[in-house]
Coordinates of all heavy atoms in Angstrom, one line a residue:
M103 N 58.5 -13.9 29.6 CA 59.2 -13.6 30.9 C 60.6 -14.2 30.8 O 60.8 -15.2 30.1 CB 58.5 -14.3 32.1 CG 57.1 -13.8 32.3 SD 57.1 -12.1 32.9 CE 57.1 -12.4 34.6
I104 N 61.5 -13.5 31.4 CA 62.9 -14.0 31.4 C 63.3 -14.3 32.9 O 63.1 -13.4 33.8 CB 63.9 -12.9 30.9 CG1 63.4 -12.5 29.5 CG2 65.3 -13.3 30.9 CD1 63.5 -13.6 28.4
R105 N 63.9 -15.4 33.1 CA 64.5 -15.8 34.4 C 66.0 -15.6 34.2 O 66.6 -16.2 33.4 CB 64.2 -17.2 34.8 CG 64.7 -17.6 36.1 CD 64.1 -18.8 36.8 NE 62.6 -18.8 36.7 CZ 61.8 -18.1 37.6 NH1 62.3 -17.4 38.5 NH2 60.5 -18.3 37.5
H106 N 66.5 -14.7 35.0 CA 67.9 -14.3 35.1 C 68.6 -15.0 36.3 O 68.2 -14.7 37.4 CB 68.0 -12.8 35.2 CG 69.4 -12.2 35.3 ND1 70.3 -12.2 34.3 CD2 70.0 -11.7 36.4 CE1 71.4 -11.7 34.7 NE2 71.3 -11.3 36.0
V107 N 69.5 -15.9 36.0 CA 70.2 -16.6 37.0 C 71.7 -16.3 37.0 O 72.3 -16.3 36.0 CB 70.0 -18.2 36.8 CG1 70.6 -19.0 37.9 CG2 68.5 -18.5 36.8
V108 N 72.2 -16.1 38.2 CA 73.7 -15.8 38.4 C 74.2 -16.7 39.5 O 73.6 -16.7 40.6 CB 74.0 -14.3 38.7 CG1 75.5 -14.1 38.7 CG2 73.3 -13.4 37.7
L109 N 75.3 -17.4 39.2 CA 76.0 -18.2 40.2 C 77.3 -17.6 40.5 O 78.1 -17.4 39.5 CB 76.1 -19.7 39.7 CG 74.8 -20.4 39.4 CD1 75.1 -21.7 38.7 CD2 74.0 -20.6 40.7
F110 N 77.7 -17.4 41.7 CA 78.9 -16.8 42.1 C 79.8 -17.9 42.8 O 79.4 -18.6 43.6 CB 78.7 -15.7 43.2 CG 77.8 -14.6 42.6 CD1 76.4 -14.7 42.8 CD2 78.4 -13.5 42.0 CE1 75.6 -13.6 42.3 CE2 77.6 -12.5 41.6 CZ 76.2 -12.5 41.7
K111 N 81.1 -17.8 42.4 CA 82.1 -18.7 43.1 C 83.2 -17.8 43.6 O 83.8 -17.0 42.9 CB 82.7 -19.7 42.1 CG 83.6 -20.7 42.7 CD 83.6 -21.9 41.9 CE 84.1 -23.2 42.6 NZ 83.1 -23.9 43.2
F112 N 83.4 -17.9 44.9 CA 84.4 -17.1 45.6 C 85.8 -17.3 44.9 O 86.2 -18.4 44.6 CB 84.6 -17.4 47.1 CG 83.4 -16.9 47.9 CD1 82.9 -17.8 48.9 CD2 82.8 -15.7 47.7 CE1 81.8 -17.4 49.6 CE2 81.7 -15.3 48.5 CZ 81.2 -16.1 49.4
K113 N 86.6 -16.2 44.9 CA 88.0 -16.3 44.4 C 88.8 -17.0 45.5 O 88.3 -17.0 46.7 CB 88.5 -14.8 44.2 CG 87.9 -14.2 43.0 CD 88.4 -12.7 42.8 CE 87.8 -12.1 41.6 NZ 88.3 -10.7 41.5
P114 N 89.9 -17.5 45.2 CA 90.7 -18.2 46.2 C 91.0 -17.3 47.4 O 91.3 -16.1 47.3 CB 92.0 -18.5 45.5 CG 91.6 -18.6 44.0 CD 90.5 -17.6 43.9
G115 N 90.9 -17.8 48.6 CA 91.1 -17.1 49.8 C 89.9 -16.4 50.4 O 89.9 -15.8 51.5
I116 N 88.8 -16.4 49.6 CA 87.5 -15.8 50.1 C 86.6 -16.8 50.6 O 86.4 -17.9 50.0 CB 86.9 -14.9 49.0 CG1 87.8 -13.9 48.4 CG2 85.6 -14.3 49.5 CD1 88.2 -12.8 49.3
N117 N 85.9 -16.6 51.7 CA 84.8 -17.4 52.2 C 83.8 -16.6 52.9 O 83.9 -15.4 53.0 CB 85.3 -18.6 53.0 CG 86.1 -18.1 54.2 OD1 85.6 -17.2 54.9 ND2 87.2 -18.8 54.6
W118 N 82.8 -17.2 53.5 CA 81.7 -16.5 54.2 C 82.2 -15.7 55.5 O 81.5 -14.9 56.0 CB 80.5 -17.3 54.5 CG 79.8 -17.7 53.3 CD1 79.7 -18.9 52.7 CD2 79.0 -16.8 52.5 NE1 78.9 -18.8 51.5 CE2 78.5 -17.5 51.4 CE3 78.8 -15.4 52.5 CZ2 77.7 -16.9 50.4 CZ3 78.0 -14.8 51.5 CH2 77.5 -15.6 50.5
D119 N 83.4 -16.0 55.9 CA 84.0 -15.3 57.1 C 84.5 -13.9 56.7 O 84.7 -13.1 57.6 CB 85.1 -16.1 57.7 CG 84.5 -17.4 58.4 OD1 83.4 -17.4 58.8 OD2 85.3 -18.4 58.4
D120 N 84.7 -13.7 55.4 CA 85.2 -12.5 54.9 C 84.1 -11.4 55.0 O 83.0 -11.6 54.5 CB 85.7 -12.6 53.5 CG 86.5 -11.4 52.9 OD1 86.0 -10.3 53.1 OD2 87.6 -11.6 52.4
P121 N 84.4 -10.3 55.6 CA 83.3 -9.3 55.7 C 82.8 -8.8 54.4 O 81.7 -8.3 54.3 CB 84.0 -8.1 56.5 CG 85.3 -8.5 56.9 CD 85.6 -9.9 56.3
R122 N 83.6 -8.8 53.4 CA 83.2 -8.4 52.0 C 82.1 -9.4 51.5 O 81.2 -8.9 50.8 CB 84.4 -8.4 51.1 CG 85.4 -7.3 51.4 CD 86.6 -7.4 50.6 NE 87.3 -8.6 50.8 CZ 88.3 -9.1 50.1 NH1 88.8 -8.3 49.1 NH2 88.9 -10.2 50.4
A123 N 82.2 -10.6 51.8 CA 81.2 -11.6 51.4 C 79.9 -11.3 52.1 O 78.8 -11.3 51.4 CB 81.7 -13.0 51.7
A124 N 79.9 -11.0 53.3 CA 78.7 -10.7 54.1 C 78.1 -9.4 53.5 O 76.8 -9.3 53.4 CB 79.0 -10.6 55.6
A125 N 78.9 -8.4 53.2 CA 78.4 -7.2 52.7 C 77.7 -7.4 51.3 O 76.7 -6.9 51.0 CB 79.5 -6.1 52.6
A126 N 78.4 -8.2 50.5 CA 77.8 -8.5 49.1 C 76.5 -9.2 49.2 O 75.6 -9.0 48.5 CB 78.9 -9.3 48.3
E127 N 76.4 -10.1 50.2 CA 75.2 -10.9 50.4 C 74.1 -9.9 50.9 O 72.9 -10.0 50.4 CB 75.4 -12.0 51.5 CG 74.1 -12.8 51.7 CD 74.3 -13.8 52.8 OE1 75.1 -13.6 53.7 OE2 73.7 -14.9 52.7
R128 N 74.4 -9.0 51.8 CA 73.4 -8.0 52.2 C 72.9 -7.1 51.0 O 71.7 -6.9 50.9 CB 73.9 -7.1 53.3 CG 74.0 -7.8 54.7 CD 74.3 -6.9 55.8 NE 75.6 -6.1 55.6 CZ 76.8 -6.6 56.0 NH1 76.9 -7.8 56.6 NH2 77.8 -5.8 55.8
T129 N 73.8 -6.7 50.2 CA 73.4 -5.9 49.0 C 72.6 -6.7 48.1 O 71.5 -6.3 47.6 CB 74.7 -5.4 48.3 OG1 75.4 -4.6 49.2 CG2 74.3 -4.6 47.1
A130 N 73.0 -8.0 47.8 CA 72.2 -8.8 47.0 C 70.7 -9.0 47.5 O 69.8 -9.0 46.7 CB 72.8 -10.2 46.8
A131 N 70.6 -9.1 48.8 CA 69.3 -9.3 49.4 C 68.4 -8.1 49.1 O 67.2 -8.2 49.0 CB 69.4 -9.5 50.9
K132 N 69.0 -6.9 49.0 CA 68.2 -5.7 48.8 C 67.9 -5.4 47.3 O 67.0 -4.5 47.0 CB 68.9 -4.5 49.3 CG 69.1 -4.5 50.8 CD 69.9 -3.4 51.3 CE 70.1 -3.4 52.8 NZ 71.0 -2.3 53.3
V133 N 68.5 -6.1 46.4 CA 68.3 -5.8 44.9 C 66.8 -5.9 44.6 O 66.3 -5.0 43.8 CB 69.2 -6.7 44.1 CG1 68.8 -6.6 42.6 CG2 70.7 -6.4 44.2
G134 N 66.2 -6.9 45.1 CA 64.8 -7.1 44.7 C 63.9 -5.9 45.1 O 62.9 -5.6 44.4
S135 N 64.2 -5.2 46.2 CA 63.3 -4.1 46.6 C 63.8 -2.8 46.0 O 63.1 -1.8 46.0 CB 63.3 -4.0 48.1 OG 64.6 -3.8 48.6
E136 N 65.0 -2.7 45.5 CA 65.6 -1.5 45.0 C 65.5 -1.4 43.5 O 65.6 -0.3 42.9 CB 67.1 -1.4 45.4 CG 67.3 -1.3 46.8 CD 66.9 0.1 47.4 OE1 67.0 1.0 46.6 OE2 66.6 0.1 48.6
V137 N 65.3 -2.5 42.7 CA 65.3 -2.4 41.3 C 63.9 -2.7 40.8 O 63.4 -3.9 40.9 CB 66.3 -3.5 40.7 CG1 66.3 -3.4 39.2 CG2 67.7 -3.2 41.2
P138 N 63.2 -1.7 40.3 CA 61.8 -1.9 40.0 C 61.5 -2.9 38.9 O 60.3 -3.4 38.8 CB 61.3 -0.5 39.7 CG 62.5 0.3 39.4 CD 63.6 -0.4 40.1
E139 N 62.4 -3.1 38.0 CA 62.2 -4.0 36.9 C 62.0 -5.5 37.3 O 61.4 -6.3 36.5 CB 63.4 -4.0 35.9 CG 63.5 -2.7 35.1 CD 64.1 -1.5 35.9 OE1 64.7 -1.8 37.0 OE2 64.0 -0.4 35.5
L140 N 62.3 -5.8 38.5 CA 62.2 -7.2 38.9 C 60.8 -7.5 39.4 O 60.3 -6.9 40.3 CB 63.2 -7.4 40.1 CG 64.7 -7.5 39.7 CD1 65.6 -7.3 40.8 CD2 65.0 -8.8 39.0
R141 N 60.3 -8.6 38.8 CA 58.9 -9.1 39.3 C 59.1 -10.0 40.5 O 58.2 -10.2 41.3 CB 58.2 -9.8 38.1 CG 57.8 -8.9 37.1 CD 56.9 -9.7 36.1 NE 56.3 -8.8 35.1 CZ 55.0 -8.4 35.2 NH1 54.3 -8.8 36.2 NH2 54.5 -7.6 34.3
D142 N 60.2 -10.7 40.5 CA 60.5 -11.7 41.6 C 62.0 -11.7 41.8 O 62.8 -11.5 40.8 CB 60.0 -13.1 41.2 CG 60.2 -14.0 42.4 OD1 59.9 -13.6 43.6 OD2 60.6 -15.2 42.2
W143 N 62.5 -11.9 43.0 CA 63.9 -11.9 43.3 C 64.2 -12.9 44.4 O 63.5 -12.9 45.4 CB 64.4 -10.5 43.8 CG 65.8 -10.4 44.1 CD1 66.4 -10.2 45.3 CD2 66.9 -10.4 43.2 NE1 67.8 -10.2 45.2 CE2 68.1 -10.2 43.9 CE3 67.0 -10.5 41.8 CZ2 69.3 -10.2 43.3 CZ3 68.2 -10.4 41.2 CH2 69.4 -10.3 41.9
R144 N 65.1 -13.8 44.1 CA 65.5 -14.8 45.1 C 67.1 -14.8 45.2 O 67.7 -14.5 44.2 CB 65.0 -16.2 44.7 CG 63.5 -16.2 44.6 CD 63.0 -17.5 44.0 NE 61.6 -17.4 43.8 CZ 60.8 -18.4 43.8 NH1 61.2 -19.6 44.0 NH2 59.5 -18.2 43.6
Y145 N 67.6 -15.2 46.3 CA 69.0 -15.3 46.5 C 69.3 -16.3 47.6 O 68.4 -16.6 48.4 CB 69.6 -13.9 46.9 CG 69.0 -13.4 48.1 CD1 69.6 -13.6 49.4 CD2 67.8 -12.7 48.1 CE1 69.0 -13.2 50.5 CE2 67.2 -12.2 49.2 CZ 67.8 -12.4 50.5 OH 67.2 -12.0 51.6
G146 N 70.5 -16.8 47.6 CA 70.8 -17.7 48.7 C 72.2 -18.3 48.6 O 72.8 -18.4 47.6
R147 N 72.7 -18.8 49.8 CA 74.0 -19.4 49.9 C 73.8 -20.9 49.5 O 72.8 -21.5 49.8 CB 74.5 -19.4 51.3 CG 74.9 -18.1 51.8 CD 75.4 -18.2 53.2 NE 75.7 -16.8 53.8 CZ 76.4 -16.6 54.9 NH1 76.8 -17.7 55.6 NH2 76.7 -15.4 55.3
N148 N 74.9 -21.4 48.8 CA 74.9 -22.8 48.5 C 75.1 -23.6 49.8 O 75.8 -23.2 50.7 CB 76.1 -23.1 47.6 CG 76.3 -24.5 47.4 OD1 75.4 -25.2 46.9 ND2 77.5 -25.0 47.7
I149 N 74.4 -24.8 49.8 CA 74.6 -25.7 51.0 C 75.2 -27.0 50.5 O 75.5 -27.9 51.4 CB 73.3 -26.0 51.7 CG1 72.2 -26.6 50.7 CG2 72.7 -24.7 52.3 CD1 71.0 -27.1 51.4
S150 N 75.5 -27.2 49.3 CA 76.2 -28.4 48.8 C 77.7 -28.4 49.0 O 78.3 -27.4 48.7 CB 75.9 -28.6 47.3 OG 76.6 -29.7 46.8
P151 N 78.2 -29.5 49.5 CA 79.7 -29.5 49.7 C 80.5 -29.9 48.5 O 81.7 -30.0 48.5 CB 79.8 -30.6 50.8 CG 78.7 -31.6 50.5 CD 77.6 -30.7 50.1
R152 N 79.8 -30.2 47.4 CA 80.5 -30.7 46.2 C 81.4 -29.6 45.6 O 81.2 -28.4 45.6 CB 79.5 -31.1 45.1 CG 78.6 -32.2 45.6 CD 77.6 -32.8 44.7 NE 77.2 -31.8 43.7 CZ 76.3 -32.1 42.7 NH1 75.7 -33.2 42.6 NH2 76.0 -31.2 41.8
D153 N 82.5 -30.1 45.0 CA 83.6 -29.2 44.5 C 83.0 -28.4 43.3 O 83.5 -27.3 43.1 CB 84.8 -30.0 44.0 CG 85.6 -30.6 45.1 OD1 85.5 -30.1 46.3 OD2 86.4 -31.5 44.9
V154 N 82.1 -28.9 42.5 CA 81.6 -28.2 41.4 C 80.5 -27.1 41.8 O 80.1 -26.3 40.9 CB 80.9 -29.2 40.3 CG1 82.0 -30.1 39.8 CG2 79.8 -29.9 40.9
A155 N 80.1 -27.1 43.0 CA 79.1 -26.2 43.5 C 79.6 -24.7 43.5 O 80.8 -24.5 43.8 CB 78.6 -26.6 44.8
Y156 N 78.8 -23.8 43.2 CA 79.1 -22.4 43.4 C 78.6 -22.0 44.8 O 77.9 -22.7 45.4 CB 78.4 -21.6 42.3 CG 79.1 -21.6 41.0 CD1 79.3 -22.7 40.3 CD2 79.6 -20.4 40.5 CE1 80.1 -22.7 39.1 CE2 80.4 -20.4 39.3 CZ 80.6 -21.5 38.6 OH 81.3 -21.5 37.4
D157 N 79.1 -20.8 45.2 CA 78.8 -20.4 46.6 C 77.5 -19.6 46.8 O 77.0 -19.6 48.0 CB 80.0 -19.5 47.1 CG 81.3 -20.3 47.0 OD1 81.4 -21.3 47.8 OD2 82.2 -19.9 46.2
F158 N 77.0 -18.9 45.8 CA 75.9 -18.1 46.0 C 75.1 -18.0 44.7 O 75.7 -18.1 43.6 CB 76.3 -16.7 46.5 CG 75.3 -15.8 47.0 CD1 74.7 -16.0 48.2 CD2 74.9 -14.6 46.2 CE1 73.7 -15.1 48.7 CE2 73.9 -13.8 46.7 CZ 73.3 -14.0 47.9
L159 N 73.8 -17.8 44.8 CA 72.9 -17.6 43.7 C 72.0 -16.4 43.8 O 71.6 -16.1 44.9 CB 72.0 -18.9 43.6 CG 70.9 -18.8 42.6 CD1 70.7 -20.1 41.9 CD2 69.6 -18.5 43.3
V160 N 71.8 -15.7 42.7 CA 70.7 -14.8 42.6 C 69.9 -15.1 41.4 O 70.4 -15.7 40.4 CB 71.1 -13.3 42.6 CG1 71.9 -12.9 43.8 CG2 72.0 -13.0 41.3
E161 N 68.6 -14.9 41.5 CA 67.6 -15.2 40.5 C 66.5 -14.2 40.4 O 65.9 -13.9 41.4 CB 67.0 -16.6 40.7 CG 66.1 -17.1 39.7 CD 65.5 -18.4 40.1 OE1 66.3 -19.3 40.5 OE2 64.3 -18.6 40.0
G162 N 66.4 -13.6 39.2 CA 65.4 -12.6 39.1 C 64.4 -12.9 37.9 O 64.8 -13.6 37.0
L163 N 63.2 -12.4 38.0 CA 62.2 -12.6 37.0 C 61.8 -11.3 36.4 O 61.5 -10.4 37.2 CB 61.0 -13.3 37.5 CG 59.9 -13.8 36.5 CD1 60.5 -14.8 35.6 CD2 58.7 -14.3 37.3
M164 N 62.0 -11.1 35.1 CA 61.7 -9.9 34.4 C 60.8 -10.1 33.2 O 60.8 -11.2 32.7 CB 63.0 -9.2 34.1 CG 63.7 -8.7 35.3 SD 65.4 -8.2 35.0 CE 66.3 -9.7 35.4
D165 N 60.2 -9.1 32.7 CA 59.3 -9.2 31.6 C 59.9 -9.7 30.3 O 59.3 -10.5 29.6 CB 58.6 -7.8 31.3 CG 57.6 -7.5 32.4 OD1 57.1 -8.4 33.1 OD2 57.3 -6.3 32.6
D166 N 61.0 -9.1 29.9 CA 61.6 -9.4 28.6 C 63.1 -8.9 28.6 O 63.6 -8.4 29.6 CB 60.9 -8.7 27.5 CG 60.7 -7.2 27.7 OD1 61.6 -6.6 28.4 OD2 59.6 -6.6 27.3
M167 N 63.8 -9.2 27.5 CA 65.2 -8.8 27.5 C 65.5 -7.3 27.6 O 66.5 -6.9 28.1 CB 65.9 -9.4 26.3 CG 66.1 -10.9 26.4 SD 67.0 -11.5 27.9 CE 68.7 -10.8 27.6
A168 N 64.5 -6.5 27.1 CA 64.7 -5.1 27.2 C 64.6 -4.7 28.7 O 65.4 -3.8 29.2 CB 63.5 -4.3 26.5
T169 N 63.8 -5.3 29.5 CA 63.8 -5.1 30.9 C 65.0 -5.6 31.6 O 65.5 -4.9 32.5 CB 62.5 -5.8 31.6 OG1 61.4 -5.4 30.8 CG2 62.3 -5.4 33.0
V170 N 65.6 -6.7 31.2 CA 66.9 -7.2 31.7 C 67.9 -6.1 31.5 O 68.7 -5.9 32.4 CB 67.3 -8.5 31.0 CG1 68.7 -8.9 31.4 CG2 66.3 -9.6 31.4
E171 N 68.0 -5.5 30.3 CA 69.0 -4.5 30.0 C 68.8 -3.3 31.0 O 69.8 -2.8 31.4 CB 68.9 -4.0 28.6 CG 69.2 -5.1 27.5 CD 70.7 -5.6 27.7 OE1 71.6 -4.8 28.0 OE2 70.9 -6.8 27.6
Q172 N 67.6 -2.9 31.3 CA 67.4 -1.8 32.3 C 67.9 -2.2 33.6 O 68.5 -1.4 34.3 CB 65.9 -1.5 32.3 CG 65.3 -0.9 31.1 CD 63.8 -0.7 31.1 OE1 63.1 -1.3 31.9 NE2 63.3 0.1 30.2
Y173 N 67.6 -3.5 34.0 CA 68.1 -4.0 35.3 C 69.6 -3.9 35.4 O 70.2 -3.5 36.4 CB 67.5 -5.4 35.5 CG 68.3 -6.3 36.3 CD1 68.2 -6.3 37.7 CD2 69.2 -7.3 35.8 CE1 68.9 -7.2 38.5 CE2 69.9 -8.1 36.6 CZ 69.8 -8.1 38.0 OH 70.5 -8.9 38.7
L174 N 70.2 -4.3 34.3 CA 71.7 -4.4 34.3 C 72.4 -3.1 34.6 O 73.4 -3.0 35.2 CB 72.2 -5.0 33.0 CG 71.9 -6.5 32.8 CD1 72.3 -6.9 31.4 CD2 72.5 -7.4 33.8
I175 N 71.8 -2.0 34.1 CA 72.4 -0.7 34.3 C 71.9 0.1 35.5 O 72.3 1.2 35.8 CB 72.2 0.2 33.0 CG1 70.8 0.4 32.7 CG2 73.0 -0.5 31.8 CD1 70.5 1.5 31.6
H176 N 70.9 -0.5 36.2 CA 70.4 0.2 37.4 C 71.5 0.4 38.4 O 72.3 -0.4 38.7 CB 69.3 -0.7 38.1 CG 68.6 0.1 39.1 ND1 69.1 0.2 40.4 CD2 67.3 0.7 39.1 CE1 68.2 0.9 41.1 NE2 67.2 1.2 40.4
P177 N 71.6 1.6 39.0 CA 72.7 2.0 39.9 C 72.9 1.0 41.1 O 74.0 0.7 41.5 CB 72.4 3.4 40.3 CG 71.5 4.0 39.3 CD 70.7 2.8 38.7
F178 N 71.8 0.6 41.7 CA 71.9 -0.3 42.8 C 72.4 -1.7 42.3 O 73.3 -2.3 43.0 CB 70.5 -0.5 43.5 CG 70.7 -1.1 44.9 CD1 71.0 -0.3 46.0 CD2 70.6 -2.5 45.1 CE1 71.1 -0.9 47.2 CE2 70.8 -3.1 46.3 CZ 71.1 -2.2 47.4
H179 N 72.0 -2.2 41.2 CA 72.5 -3.4 40.6 C 74.0 -3.2 40.3 O 74.8 -4.1 40.6 CB 71.8 -3.8 39.4 CG 72.3 -5.0 38.7 ND1 73.0 -5.0 37.6 CD2 72.3 -6.3 39.1 CE1 73.4 -6.2 37.3 NE2 73.0 -7.1 38.2
Q180 N 74.4 -2.1 39.8 CA 75.8 -1.8 39.5 C 76.7 -1.9 40.8 O 77.8 -2.4 40.8 CB 76.0 -0.5 38.8 CG 75.5 -0.5 37.4 CD 76.4 -1.4 36.5 OE1 77.6 -1.2 36.5 NE2 75.8 -2.3 35.8
E181 N 76.1 -1.4 41.9 CA 76.8 -1.5 43.2 C 77.0 -2.9 43.6 O 78.1 -3.4 44.1 CB 76.1 -0.7 44.3 CG 76.7 -0.8 45.6 CD 78.2 -0.5 45.8 OE1 78.7 0.3 44.9 OE2 78.8 -0.9 46.7
A182 N 75.9 -3.7 43.4 CA 76.0 -5.2 43.7 C 77.1 -5.8 42.9 O 77.9 -6.6 43.4 CB 74.7 -5.8 43.5
I183 N 77.2 -5.5 41.6 CA 78.2 -6.1 40.7 C 79.6 -5.7 41.2 O 80.5 -6.5 41.3 CB 78.0 -5.5 39.3 CG1 76.8 -6.2 38.6 CG2 79.2 -5.8 38.4 CD1 76.4 -5.6 37.3
R184 N 79.8 -4.4 41.6 CA 81.1 -4.0 42.1 C 81.5 -4.8 43.3 O 82.7 -5.3 43.3 CB 81.0 -2.5 42.5 CG 82.4 -2.0 42.9 CD 82.3 -0.6 43.6 NE 81.6 -0.7 44.9 CZ 82.1 -1.3 46.0 NH1 83.3 -1.8 45.9 NH2 81.4 -1.3 47.1
Q185 N 80.6 -5.1 44.2 CA 81.0 -5.8 45.4 C 81.3 -7.3 45.1 O 82.3 -7.8 45.5 CB 79.8 -5.8 46.4 CG 79.7 -4.4 47.0 CD 78.5 -4.4 48.0 OE1 78.0 -5.4 48.4 NE2 78.1 -3.2 48.4
W186 N 80.5 -7.9 44.2 CA 80.7 -9.3 43.9 C 81.9 -9.5 43.0 O 82.6 -10.5 43.1 CB 79.4 -9.9 43.3 CG 78.4 -10.3 44.3 CD1 77.3 -9.6 44.6 CD2 78.5 -11.4 45.2 NE1 76.6 -10.2 45.6 CE2 77.3 -11.3 46.0 CE3 79.4 -12.4 45.4 CZ2 77.1 -12.2 47.0 CZ3 79.1 -13.4 46.4 CH2 78.0 -13.3 47.2
R187 N 82.2 -8.5 42.1 CA 83.4 -8.7 41.2 C 84.7 -8.7 42.1 O 85.6 -9.4 41.7 CB 83.4 -7.5 40.3 CG 84.5 -7.6 39.3 CD 84.5 -6.4 38.2 NE 83.4 -6.7 37.3 CZ 82.5 -5.8 36.9 NH1 82.6 -4.5 37.3 NH2 81.5 -6.1 36.1
E188 N 84.7 -8.0 43.2 CA 85.9 -8.0 44.0 C 86.2 -9.3 44.6 O 87.4 -9.7 44.8 CB 85.7 -6.9 45.1 CG 86.9 -6.7 46.0 CD 86.6 -5.7 47.1 OE1 85.7 -4.8 46.9 OE2 87.3 -5.7 48.1
I189 N 85.2 -10.1 44.9 CA 85.4 -11.3 45.7 C 85.1 -12.6 44.9 O 85.3 -13.7 45.5 CB 84.6 -11.3 47.0 CG1 83.1 -11.2 46.7 CG2 85.0 -10.2 47.9 CD1 82.2 -11.4 47.9
S190 N 84.5 -12.5 43.7 CA 84.1 -13.8 43.0 C 84.2 -13.7 41.5 O 84.3 -12.6 40.9 CB 82.6 -14.1 43.4 OG 81.7 -13.1 42.9
E191 N 84.0 -14.9 40.9 CA 83.8 -15.0 39.5 C 82.3 -15.5 39.4 O 81.8 -16.1 40.3 CB 84.7 -16.1 38.9 CG 86.2 -15.7 39.1 CD 86.7 -14.5 38.3 OE1 86.0 -14.2 37.3 OE2 87.6 -13.9 38.8
W192 N 81.7 -15.3 38.3 CA 80.3 -15.8 38.1 C 80.0 -16.2 36.7 O 80.7 -15.9 35.8 CB 79.3 -14.8 38.7 CG 79.2 -13.5 38.0 CD1 78.5 -13.2 36.8 CD2 79.8 -12.2 38.4 NE1 78.7 -11.9 36.5 CE2 79.5 -11.3 37.4 CE3 80.6 -11.9 39.4 CZ2 79.9 -9.9 37.5 CZ3 81.1 -10.5 39.5 CH2 80.7 -9.6 38.5
V193 N 78.9 -16.9 36.6 CA 78.3 -17.3 35.4 C 76.8 -16.9 35.4 O 76.2 -16.8 36.5 CB 78.4 -18.8 35.1 CG1 79.9 -19.2 34.9 CG2 77.8 -19.7 36.2
I194 N 76.3 -16.7 34.2 CA 74.8 -16.3 34.2 C 74.1 -17.1 33.1 O 74.7 -17.7 32.2 CB 74.7 -14.8 33.9 CG1 75.0 -14.4 32.4 CG2 75.5 -13.9 34.8 CD1 73.8 -14.1 31.6
A195 N 72.8 -17.1 33.3 CA 71.9 -17.6 32.2 C 70.7 -16.8 32.2 O 70.1 -16.5 33.3 CB 71.6 -19.1 32.4
D196 N 70.2 -16.4 31.1 CA 68.9 -15.8 30.9 C 68.0 -16.7 30.1 O 68.4 -17.0 28.9 CB 69.0 -14.4 30.2 CG 69.7 -13.4 31.0 OD1 69.5 -13.3 32.2 OD2 70.5 -12.6 30.4
V197 N 66.9 -17.2 30.7 CA 66.1 -18.2 30.0 C 64.7 -17.7 29.9 O 64.2 -17.0 30.8 CB 66.2 -19.6 30.7 CG1 67.5 -20.1 30.6 CG2 65.7 -19.5 32.1
E198 N 64.0 -18.0 28.8 CA 62.6 -17.7 28.6 C 61.8 -18.7 29.5 O 62.0 -19.9 29.5 CB 62.2 -17.7 27.2 CG 62.7 -16.6 26.4 CD 62.2 -16.6 25.0 OE1 62.5 -17.5 24.2 OE2 61.4 -15.6 24.7
V199 N 60.8 -18.1 30.2 CA 59.9 -19.0 30.9 C 58.4 -18.6 30.6 O 58.2 -17.6 30.1 CB 60.1 -18.8 32.5 CG1 61.4 -19.4 32.8 CG2 60.0 -17.4 32.9

């Protein structure tokens, strides 16, 4: 199994009051029900005030790296990427579990 983790940090001038952030969050919430390769899907806003903290997290569980590749090209996931790319930078990790 592969745990796919993505942390998003808003670009300067963006915060949760920006309607694009709320839209990206709504889209992220739906990824789990729209992308069949996902066995589990979690997401959430950061609550830590620390400077090193990122603003948002998504985490998916998939069978293997081949399944991760299918997830990455899924049209709904691509729409989520488009929205988040406009407002944030991000880092990822894919780990075996």
Side-chain angles (χ1 to χ4, degrees):
M103 299 291 269
I104 304 296
R105 183 160 311 281
H106 174 74
V107 179
V108 185
L109 299 170
F110 300 89
K111 187 153 198 90
F112 289 137
K113 291 179 179 178
I116 305 291
N117 61 41
W118 287 113
D119 294 331
D120 189 310
R122 295 172 297 174
E127 180 181 35
R128 284 191 302 273
T129 299
K132 294 178 185 176
V133 169
S135 61
E136 295 289 332
V137 181
E139 289 80 13
L140 289 161
R141 290 185 171 262
D142 187 41
W143 182 250
R144 297 172 190 209
Y145 60 92
R147 291 182 184 191
N148 172 56
I149 59 171
S150 173
R152 298 181 338 178
D153 289 340
V154 297
Y156 278 63
D157 297 296
F158 192 71
L159 167 141
V160 296
E161 180 181 315
L163 186 63
M164 291 167 265
D165 290 335
D166 51 33
M167 285 306 292
T169 307
V170 172
E171 293 301 322
Q172 293 172 344
Y173 154 82
L174 291 175
I175 62 171
H176 189 281
F178 196 86
H179 177 253
Q180 287 293 308
E181 174 58 19
I183 288 172
R184 185 195 65 73
Q185 291 178 16
W186 281 104
R187 184 175 287 138
E188 182 178 336
I189 62 170
S190 70
E191 303 293 333
W192 64 81
V193 296
I194 72 109
D196 291 321
V197 296
E198 288 186 294
V199 292

